């Protein structure tokens, strides 16, 4: 073995390791990670803790925040955990201080929630305060007489039937049984009595037994006009998001087409020459676009789905939204649409949806 | 129905292959396992002050369970370049009768072989393992000197969860080759792999893949140098509307330079590397880069099997290596397989020490992009393995002997700190640990032909944070065991395992991008870490009859006790009879 060969090989790989080491130390390391905190020390006590407004109406702009007041023996990291007794909604407000009052905007509650469920109108909310490193906890309560008004465009919350057009593949038609209804207590296929909307009291429920004499995939649908909001819509389809909460039963055969219809020859908005089949604000299925995404309902429970409008695909049916100009134009959107699908055809399928909402610049974030 | 059709199809195909194959052989495992257990203690009695006003009349207090499995490995090897293997599993849960309730499934499918006598390949269900900072499935807890009576239970759990050594079981492919040289360099070993760890839902969640490779150069037995790269990334455009793009890369270099002769083996070892993480959504783009180094020295006096070693490591708080930092056991959020409920089925019993080495359902089999939650009294110093982020300091130890000698013993010290403080204006936490043990093969001392072995192990951890925020958590894990072969092949087994912990600890809360956003008290259904003082013990004894090297029958009694010294109303005990017949062929 020649020494020069050995040293050449070692030198090469050593250089590689040195290069890795050099790149490693080039990584900038922070001086600390995470926000500061204070653990409750020995002898920590709580002098007072109350909710500012025992009743609060978050829908009224002048009175849409609640304040908490507390005083402690030491500066400490605390958490106020708000839990709706009916909805199960949760909101956590945290801070590090010796007193709590309205001086810090981050300590105010604007009616928003952190998790899946929304707070419900007229429900009592427990406000429990806990402290880092201590078993001490105190609870006060607040009644929500009006819920938060989101800055996003709520297509419908299904608390009323107003504006939502729904249809099922009716018995006697293709399916032996089907339904499309606003519900707060539907009995689902497996016998589960659906009890809990993700927002408010009611949701929208479709079911369909597609196993009739003429199974045809389709199990029902619905649409809600959004033409009154179109002036706010951006031109860029990358900036518009469609969001909806869907309750799933873990059934991969149940699918939901979710999307939007456009009116490609709309003259309300000056975005191009009229095409065939002019109609001012109405989607014409044979000549206008419908863009959609098919969601497989193989999840269990409620889940928020968010889609960028530019990611949606044209309807596969030429007679139903697949024959427009093929361009995603948010300002031409007329309706937000739903379609229950059996895939493969011939199955019993069902879906519950709630709180479809349109957002700009990013997916729906209930904390904002 | 579809699955059964596939199985039949596969068997037919296998038979067809077999007819052309030069070699078809079988291996496998058969196991019958039965447990019968009782649940008792204060936990099942009323405790009005603790919010448990009623006598527990609904929760299960007795149970029986078990199963029979038969894993048949079918291997068809027409030539050296190809071997197709499958492990078919037939499982019959305890209570099934004449096959009623039996399940037939594939446990493993794999193709492997050697191309041109140089490149080894594996496709299908493969086991991946590289270095401790890149791809490494670290042990769930220190159990080096665990009693045989417990080790048998743990081996069942490991087998069921594919915990074979420190490797991850994934679906994918890997290939390796060795280039040998006549002079200058002894050999260069190359290895590459790719695995899909998450399947796209074609909608919002894209495919996620783990891929990488390693090059190691062995100049001689004195000098080895290696380089490893691992990427864990989302494959964009595999989902129609993905709102996030995850990308994590780890690159490391390692070396071993030493001197060895008939008596001594001295070596300098080390691994240096960095990680690059990005998580890109429509609203945020989080990037984190960090580095680590681990430099060590060891010396071994071969005639006495005496080894001393020490290393210094510094792992950054943002060093991200999911395939080396993912935990193989869930500490939180999981229901125990036995006696999961208490308080009239309204609360979930927090799994304890006994569940951790007997429950087959507590194991994590997938690589997590985020650091998983853990209970610090089980492992506070290295909860994410040796690659645990935000650690720096010395690990040193000494070992003596091996399993074939009268005495095998070792002791390892950890003197570590956090590399940077967690929480601005706070000190760093200090971690002090000692672990070790001894195995006494008494039969070798007295020249007795049948085994008489005593084992003893201990792991003590102390985690402290000073300054304005005082945290102090101490835990001690003790193992003791006896294996006594009273008749040829017949062993009497005994063991005791204890963990006690006291003190205070909190946990950071991470967002979806692995950043610490807050802190929280750690609470379970049975204890909390604001004022922790608990003791969990398991005593066991039984017998094992060894039919051969890999086949045995064992009958054991296990007595598990949980004691919360701060809240005695949560104390409970489990008594379990365990029968296990295992045959490996």
């Amino acid at each position: 073995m020649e020494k020069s060969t050995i040293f050449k090989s070692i030198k090469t790989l050593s250089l590689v390791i040195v290069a890795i080491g050099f790149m490693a130390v080039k990584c900038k390391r922070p001086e600390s990670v995470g926000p500061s905190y204070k653990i409750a020390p020995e002898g920590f006590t709580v002098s007072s803790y109350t909710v500012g407004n025992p009743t609060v109406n978050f829908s009224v702009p002048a009175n849409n925040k609640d304040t908490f007041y507390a005083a402690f023996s030491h500066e400490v990291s605390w958490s106020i955990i708000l839990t709706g007794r009916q909805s199960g909604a949760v909101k956590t407000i945290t801070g590090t201080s010796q007193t709590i009052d309205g001086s810090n905007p981050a300590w105010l509650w604007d009616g928003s929630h952190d998790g899946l469920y929304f707070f419900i109108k007229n429900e009592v909310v427990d406000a429990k305060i806990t402290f880092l490193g201590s078993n001490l906890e105190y609870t006060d309560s607040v009644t929500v007489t009006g819920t938060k008004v989101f800055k996003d465009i709520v297509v419908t919350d299904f608390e009323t039937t107003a504006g939502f057009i729904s249809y099922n593949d009716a018995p006697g038609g293709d399916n032996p049984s089907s339904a499309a209804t606003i519900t707060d207590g539907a009995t689902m296929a497996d016998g589960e009595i659906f009890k809990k909307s993700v927002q408010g009291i009611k949701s929208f429920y479709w079911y369909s037994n597609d196993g009739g004499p003429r199974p045809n995939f389709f199990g029902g649908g619905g649409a809600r006009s959004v033409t009154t909001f179109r002036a706010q819509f951006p031109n860029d389809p990358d900036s518009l998001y469609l969001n909806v909460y869907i309750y799933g039963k873990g059934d991969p055969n149940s699918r939901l087409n979710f999307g939007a219809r456009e009116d490609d020859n709309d003259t309300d908005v000056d975005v191009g020459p009229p095409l065939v089949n002019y109609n001012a604000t109405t989607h014409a299925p044979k000549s206008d676009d419908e863009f959609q995404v098919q969601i497989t309902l193989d999840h269990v429970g409620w889940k928020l789905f968010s889609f960028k409008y530019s990611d949606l695909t044209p309807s596969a049916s030429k007679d139903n939204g697949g024959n427009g100009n093929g361009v995603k134009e948010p300002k031409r959107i007329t309706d937000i649409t739903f379609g229950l699908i059996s895939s493969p055809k011939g199955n019993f399928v069902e879906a519950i949806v709630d709180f479809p909402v349109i957002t700009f610049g990013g997916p729906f974030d209930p904390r904002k | 129905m579809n699955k059964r059709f596939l199985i039949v199809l596969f068997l037919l195909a296998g038979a067809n292959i077999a007819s052309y194959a030069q070699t078809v052989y079988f291996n496998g495992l058969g196991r019958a396992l039965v447990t019968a257990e009782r649940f008792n203690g204060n936990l099942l009695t009323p405790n009005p002050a603790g919010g448990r006003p009623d006598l527990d009349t609904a929760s299960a207090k007795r149970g029986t369970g078990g199963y029979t499995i038969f894993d048949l490995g079918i291997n068809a090897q027409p030539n050296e370049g190809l071997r197709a293997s499958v492990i078919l599993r037939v499982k019959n849960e305890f209570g099934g009768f004449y096959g009623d309730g039996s399940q037939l499934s594939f446990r493993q499918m794999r193709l492997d072989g050697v191309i041109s006598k140089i490149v080894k390949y594996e496709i299908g269900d493969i086991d991946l393992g590289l270095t401790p900072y890149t791809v490494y499935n670290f042990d769930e807890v220190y159990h080096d000197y665990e009693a045989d009576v417990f080790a048998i239970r743990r081996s069942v759990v490991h087998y069921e969860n594919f915990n074979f050594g420190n490797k991850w079981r994934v679906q994918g492919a890997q290939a390796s080759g060795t280039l040998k040289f006549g002079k200058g360099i002894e050999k260069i070993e190359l290895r590459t792999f790719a695995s899909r760890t998450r399947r796209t839902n074609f909608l919002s969640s894209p495919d996620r893949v783990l891929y990488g490779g390693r090059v190691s150069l062995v100049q001689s037995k004195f000098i080895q140098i290696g380089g490893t790269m691992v990427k864990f990334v989302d494959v964009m455009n595999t989902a129609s509307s993905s709102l996030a793009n995850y990308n994590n890369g780890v690159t490391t270099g390692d070396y071993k330079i030493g001197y060895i002769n008939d008596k001594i083996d001295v070596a300098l070892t080390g691994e240096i590397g960095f990680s690059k993480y990005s998580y890109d959504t429509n609203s945020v783009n989080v990037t984190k880069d960090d580095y680590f180094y681990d430099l060590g020295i060891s010396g071994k006096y071969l005639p006495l099997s005496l080894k001393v070693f020490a290393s210094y490591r510094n792992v950054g708080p943002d060093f991200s290596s999911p395939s080396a930092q993912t935990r193989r056991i869930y500490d939180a959020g999981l229901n125990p397989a036995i006696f999961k409920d208490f308080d009239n089925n309204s609360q979930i019993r927090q799994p304890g020490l006994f569940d951790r080495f007997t429950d087959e359902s507590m194991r994590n089999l997938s690589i997590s992009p985020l650091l998983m939650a853990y209970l610090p009294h089980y492992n506070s110093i290295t909860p994410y393995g040796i690659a645990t982020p935000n650690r720096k300091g010395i690990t040193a130890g000494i070992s003596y002997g091996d399993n074939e000698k009268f005495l095998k013993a070792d002791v390892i010290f950890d003197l570590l700190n956090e590399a940077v403080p967690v929480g601005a204006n706070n000190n760093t936490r200090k971690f002090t640990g000692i672990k070790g043990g001894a195995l006494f093969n008494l039969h070798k001392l007295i020249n007795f032909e049948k085994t008489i072995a005593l084992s003893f192990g201990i792991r003590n951890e102390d985690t402290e944070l000073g300054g304005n925020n005082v945290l102090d958590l101490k835990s001690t894990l003790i193992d003791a065991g006896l294996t006594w072969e009273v008749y040829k092949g017949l062993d009497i087994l005994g063991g005791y395992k204890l963990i006690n912990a006291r003190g205070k600890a909190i946990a950071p809360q991470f967002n979806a991008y692995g950043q610490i956003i807050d802190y929280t008290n750690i609470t379970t259904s049975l204890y909390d870490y604001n004022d922790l003082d608990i003791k969990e013990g398991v005593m066991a004894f039984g017998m094992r009859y060894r039919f051969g090297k890999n086949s045995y029958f064992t009958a054991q009694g296990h007595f598990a006790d949980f004691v919360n010294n701060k809240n005695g109303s949560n104390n409970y005990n489990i008594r379990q009879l365990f029968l296990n017949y295992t045959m490996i062929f």
Side-chain angles (χ1 to χ4, degrees):
Chain A
M1 186 165 55
E2 292 176 19
K3 278 187 177 176
S4 59
T5 312
I6 297 171
F7 287 126
K8 198 179 282 182
S9 308
I10 294 168
K11 192 176 154 190
T12 306
L13 271 154
S14 299
L15 281 173
V16 172
I17 291 182
V18 169
I20 290 169
F22 181 71
M23 291 175 75
V25 294
K26 264 186 71 182
C27 299
K28 284 185 181 171
R29 190 175 281 181
E31 291 184 358
S32 68
V33 288
S36 60
Y37 64 91
K38 276 281 170 63
I39 294 168
E42 200 77 26
F44 172 79
T45 57
V46 177
S47 311
S48 62
Y49 169 63
T50 57
V51 174
N53 297 316
T55 60
V56 59
N57 185 347
F58 293 114
S59 65
V60 179
N63 179 29
N64 63 355
K65 289 200 169 60
D66 209 348
T67 311
F68 303 91
Y69 295 95
F72 319 122
S73 60
H74 301 78
E75 187 180 22
V76 68
S77 292
W78 48 263
S79 298
I80 295 173
I81 303 157
L82 299 142
T83 309
R85 290 183 187 174
Q86 187 180 349
S87 64
V90 174
K91 172 71 179 177
T92 302
I93 298 168
T94 60
T96 299
S97 63
Q98 195 168 351
T99 59
I100 303 176
D101 52 32
S103 62
N104 188 335
W107 297 348
L108 304 176
W109 181 35
D110 63 354
S112 62
H113 60 279
D114 293 327
L116 207 53
Y117 292 99
F118 294 55
F119 290 98
I120 296 174
K121 186 179 179 181
N122 294 327
E123 84 168 323
V124 178
V125 175
D126 289 322
K128 181 170 77 175
I129 188 166
T130 65
F131 307 94
L132 198 62
S134 170
N135 286 330
L136 282 179
E137 60 180 48
Y138 296 87
T139 302
D140 200 354
S141 64
V142 52
T143 301
V144 176
T145 55
T147 55
K148 177 182 168 73
V149 177
F150 290 91
K151 63 179 173 52
D152 310 295
I153 294 171
V154 179
V155 178
T156 174
D157 62 6
F158 294 116
E159 296 307 297
T160 69
T161 56
F164 190 74
I165 301 165
S166 66
Y167 38 92
N168 58 322
D169 210 12
D174 298 317
N175 299 328
S177 64
S178 67
T181 179
I182 287 180
T183 183
D184 57 355
T187 301
M188 303 191 74
D190 61 356
E192 176 192 343
I193 299 174
F194 172 77
K195 283 288 182 194
K196 212 169 188 177
S197 295
V198 73
Q199 183 276 338
I201 303 297
K202 296 179 179 175
S203 313
F204 202 90
Y205 176 52
W206 287 275
Y207 80 82
S208 175
N209 186 351
D210 195 46
R214 296 189 301 279
N216 65 350
F217 295 102
F218 185 67
R224 174 72 159 90
S225 170
V226 291
T227 51
T228 54
F229 305 112
R230 285 198 303 192
Q232 303 172 48
F233 290 2
N235 286 313
D236 182 3
D238 280 338
S239 299
L240 186 130
Y241 289 75
L242 306 184
N243 313 266
V244 64
Y245 289 87
I246 306 177
Y247 189 82
K249 299 287 288 180
D251 175 18
N253 296 328
S254 294
R255 311 283 176 94
L256 191 74
N257 284 349
F258 175 52
R261 292 174 183 153
E262 292 185 1
D263 182 3
D264 289 330
N265 42 33
D266 187 347
T267 56
D268 290 347
V269 183
D270 185 18
V271 289
L275 302 176
V276 187
N277 200 13
Y278 164 78
N279 194 326
T281 56
T282 306
H283 168 83
K286 293 187 178 178
S287 61
D288 290 334
D289 282 325
E290 179 168 355
F291 297 103
Q292 55 193 202
V293 60
Q294 187 168 99
I295 304 166
T296 302
L297 308 184
D298 54 1
H299 64 287
V300 177
W302 284 110
K303 185 177 177 182
L304 172 63
F305 291 86
S306 297
F307 304 98
K308 198 192 294 183
Y309 191 55
S310 58
D311 285 337
L312 270 54
T313 53
S315 168
S317 168
K318 291 283 184 191
D319 290 339
N320 290 289
N323 198 31
N325 64 7
V327 181
K328 286 163 190 151
E329 299 161 292
K331 288 213 180 272
R332 289 181 179 275
I333 293 175
T334 58
D335 313 273
I336 300 301
T337 60
F338 304 88
L340 181 64
I341 300 294
S342 170
S343 179
K345 65 183 177 182
N347 288 286
F348 187 102
V349 291
E350 58 189 342
I352 300 178
V353 301
D354 203 1
F355 207 70
V357 57
I358 296 170
T359 54
F360 307 138
F364 177 60
D365 184 350
R367 296 167 299 178
K368 291 181 180 171
Chain B
M1 185 63 193
N2 286 339
K3 194 178 278 184
R4 289 190 178 177
F5 175 74
L6 277 173
I7 290 168
V8 171
L9 197 66
F10 189 86
L11 287 172
L12 288 171
N16 195 37
I17 290 170
S19 66
Y20 291 101
Q22 288 182 354
T23 308
V24 176
Y25 60 95
F26 303 93
N27 57 3
L29 176 144
R31 173 175 288 141
L33 186 152
V34 176
T35 64
E37 51 268 333
R38 294 180 61 178
F39 185 32
N40 216 332
N42 296 349
L43 193 63
L44 302 174
T45 61
N47 175 30
R52 215 167 58 220
D54 303 319
L55 180 67
D56 194 331
T57 55
S59 306
K61 298 169 191 67
R62 282 175 180 267
T64 56
Y67 55 80
T68 305
I69 57 171
F70 185 67
D71 292 341
L72 176 63
I74 306 168
N75 305 271
Q77 188 165 12
N79 56 55
E80 194 184 37
L82 173 64
R83 179 176 62 178
S85 62
V86 62
I87 298 178
L88 293 174
R89 161 164 288 195
V90 182
K91 182 172 185 177
N92 192 17
E93 294 285 349
F94 185 63
F97 193 61
Y98 288 120
D100 182 31
S102 309
Q103 301 162 13
L104 189 61
S105 61
F106 290 107
R107 177 173 159 84
Q108 175 181 301
M109 294 177 75
R110 180 185 295 166
L111 295 171
D112 62 79
V114 181
I115 301 171
S116 301
K117 296 185 178 179
I118 295 176
V119 179
K120 290 181 183 174
Y121 67 89
E122 289 182 333
I123 304 168
D125 299 318
I126 59 175
D127 296 311
L128 286 183
L130 292 174
T131 72
Y133 290 92
T134 53
V135 182
Y136 197 78
N137 188 349
F138 61 90
D139 289 339
E140 63 273 21
V141 72
Y142 181 74
H143 58 86
D144 287 4
Y145 291 92
E146 190 169 61
D148 279 355
V149 70
F150 300 131
I152 290 170
R153 304 293 304 263
R154 194 181 296 276
S155 72
V156 174
V157 176
H158 281 184
Y159 177 82
E160 290 301 313
N161 291 281
F162 304 100
N163 291 153
F164 302 134
N166 296 110
K167 295 182 175 180
W168 283 105
R169 169 55 63 94
V170 295
Q171 281 187 325
Q174 63 177 330
S176 62
T178 302
L179 304 173
K180 294 187 176 176
F181 297 85
K183 59 180 182 179
I185 298 170
E186 189 177 312
K187 60 183 176 182
I188 292 178
E189 294 171 339
L190 301 159
R191 189 170 169 194
T192 184
F193 66 90
S195 163
R196 185 174 70 170
T197 62
R198 185 182 71 183
R199 188 172 63 174
T200 179
N201 63 0
F202 303 105
L203 189 65
S204 56
S205 175
D207 275 331
R208 184 164 288 169
V209 296
L210 179 76
Y211 68 91
R214 173 172 169 78
V215 181
S216 61
L217 181 151
V218 179
Q219 186 274 324
S220 65
K221 62 184 178 182
F222 306 116
I223 299 174
Q224 297 173 32
I225 299 172
T228 308
M229 189 206 75
V230 176
K231 296 277 280 181
F232 193 35
V233 299
D234 284 346
V235 183
M236 300 315 290
N237 302 321
T238 53
S240 60
S241 185
S242 174
L243 298 178
N245 182 10
Y246 170 84
N247 191 320
N248 194 92
V250 181
T251 306
T252 76
D254 59 275
Y255 64 88
K256 181 180 178 186
I257 301 169
Y259 175 75
I260 184 168
N261 64 20
D262 291 344
K263 290 190 174 177
I264 60 168
D265 179 357
V266 183
L268 294 170
T269 56
E271 187 169 2
I272 304 164
F274 59 92
S275 68
K276 287 188 175 295
Y277 166 102
S278 72
Y279 197 99
D280 189 9
T281 72
N282 291 286
S283 49
V284 295
N285 183 9
V286 177
T287 60
K288 293 187 292 182
D289 302 341
D290 212 328
Y291 64 91
F292 79 92
Y293 56 86
D294 187 340
L295 311 175
I297 183 169
S298 66
K300 189 171 184 180
Y301 184 61
L302 298 171
L304 287 180
S305 296
L306 179 67
K307 183 180 181 182
V308 292
F309 51 93
S311 66
Y312 181 86
R313 71 175 180 271
N314 186 324
V315 187
D318 289 331
F319 176 69
S320 174
S321 181
S323 46
Q325 294 169 334
T326 296
R327 295 167 57 79
R328 64 163 63 165
I329 188 166
Y330 290 107
D331 273 11
L334 216 63
N335 301 340
I338 60 169
F339 306 125
K340 77 177 180 68
D341 299 310
F342 68 97
D343 194 11
N344 288 304
N345 293 335
S346 64
Q347 295 196 62
I348 304 294
R349 179 177 66 87
Q350 171 63 37
L353 181 68
F354 179 64
D355 303 282
R356 292 171 72 86
F357 67 89
T358 60
D359 191 334
E360 297 170 12
S361 64
M362 284 180 64
R363 298 304 169 110
N364 167 45
L365 304 182
S366 60
I367 294 168
S368 168
L370 292 171
L371 296 175
M372 297 163 62
Y374 68 97
L375 295 175
H377 77 278
Y378 291 118
N379 190 343
S380 179
I381 297 181
T382 53
Y384 304 108
I386 199 166
T388 298
N390 207 12
R391 297 286 188 273
K392 68 174 183 181
I394 295 169
T395 296
I398 183 168
S399 68
Y400 173 80
D402 58 50
N403 288 329
E404 302 307 313
K405 295 190 172 177
F406 156 63
L407 175 64
K408 177 195 172 193
D410 63 31
V411 60
I412 300 169
F413 300 93
D414 284 308
L415 301 167
L416 304 176
N417 280 73
E418 285 175 330
V420 302
V422 174
N425 307 317
N426 281 295
N427 298 329
T428 56
R429 278 189 299 172
K430 182 180 170 188
F431 306 92
T432 309
I434 178 171
K435 59 190 174 190
L439 170 66
F440 300 95
N441 288 312
L442 297 177
H443 58 289
K444 292 191 182 288
L445 183 68
I446 58 175
N447 278 330
F448 191 58
E449 63 177 4
K450 296 188 179 68
T451 302
I452 306 173
L454 286 171
S455 61
F456 178 78
I458 185 168
R459 189 222 61 189
N460 186 276
E461 290 188 345
D462 189 356
T463 304
E464 287 183 63
L465 177 65
N468 294 329
N469 288 309
V470 178
L471 293 172
D472 185 3
L473 181 70
K474 291 181 171 60
S475 70
T476 305
L477 174 66
I478 293 171
D479 270 307
L482 165 71
T483 301
W484 181 13
E485 187 179 7
V486 292
Y487 186 74
K488 187 173 172 48
L490 179 64
D491 302 322
I492 297 293
L493 306 173
Y496 184 63
K497 187 184 278 289
L498 171 76
I499 189 165
N500 60 45
R502 60 174 58 190
K504 180 182 281 196
I506 61 170
Q509 287 183 305
F510 297 94
N511 61 12
Y513 325 114
Q515 297 169 311
I516 297 174
I517 52 167
D518 209 343
Y519 311 91
T520 183
N521 294 328
I522 309 170
T523 58
T524 74
S525 61
L526 300 178
Y527 50 89
D528 65 67
Y529 283 77
N530 289 328
D531 190 12
L532 186 73
D533 188 356
I534 58 170
K535 185 169 78 173
E536 297 183 78
V538 186
M539 187 173 66
F541 62 85
M543 55 73 68
R544 171 180 59 189
Y545 184 74
R546 288 175 276 119
F547 298 100
K549 189 180 176 187
N550 294 316
S551 300
Y552 61 86
F553 169 75
T554 182
Q556 304 172 2
H558 288 253
F559 303 82
D561 291 275
F562 170 82
V563 176
N564 184 342
N565 290 319
K566 295 292 182 183
N567 183 2
S569 70
N570 283 351
N571 297 354
Y572 72 84
N573 60 67
I574 292 173
R575 307 287 181 250
Q576 186 179 68
L577 173 68
F578 172 75
L579 305 174
N580 173 11
Y581 173 84
T582 294
M583 176 186 69
I584 299 173
F585 60 96

